């Protein structure tokens, strides 16, 4: 969750951020369910953060967490 909090902090300061979950904890899946996030292309948006369940983002970002 620390990585997601970092992504939220960067987004709050105007950065374009992608959060990519590459561990087995499945925290992102829980967040997607809680926020009822709908997919937009290859990612899900949660409060301005583009979240990926894959390690291949579909666009460029200032930061990838």
């Amino acid at each position: 969750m620390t990585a997601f909090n970092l992504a939220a902090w960067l987004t709050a300061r105007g950065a374009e951020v992608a959060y990519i979950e590459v561990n087995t904890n499945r925290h992102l899946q829980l967040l997607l369910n809680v926020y009822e996030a709908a997919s937009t292309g290859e990612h899900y948006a949660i409060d301005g953060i583009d979240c990926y369940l894959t390690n291949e983002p579909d666009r460029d970002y200032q930061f990838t967490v």
Side-chain angles (χ1 to χ4, degrees):
M1 294 304 293
T2 301
F4 194 84
N5 289 334
L6 174 61
W9 185 85
L10 289 167
T11 299
R13 277 134 190 90
E16 294 180 355
V17 180
Y19 173 80
I20 299 175
E21 183 165 273
V22 293
N23 61 42
T24 59
N25 293 335
R26 307 293 293 167
H27 289 140
L28 180 54
Q29 191 62 52
L30 175 65
L31 289 172
L32 295 175
N33 291 335
V34 168
Y35 285 94
E36 298 178 355
S39 68
T40 305
E42 294 294 319
H43 66 272
Y44 298 82
I46 298 175
D47 292 339
I49 304 166
D50 289 349
C51 302
Y52 291 85
L53 295 170
T54 177
N55 62 357
E56 297 180 20
D58 57 4
R59 65 185 206 93
D60 292 329
Y61 294 91
Q62 291 173 313
F63 296 94
T64 302
V65 179

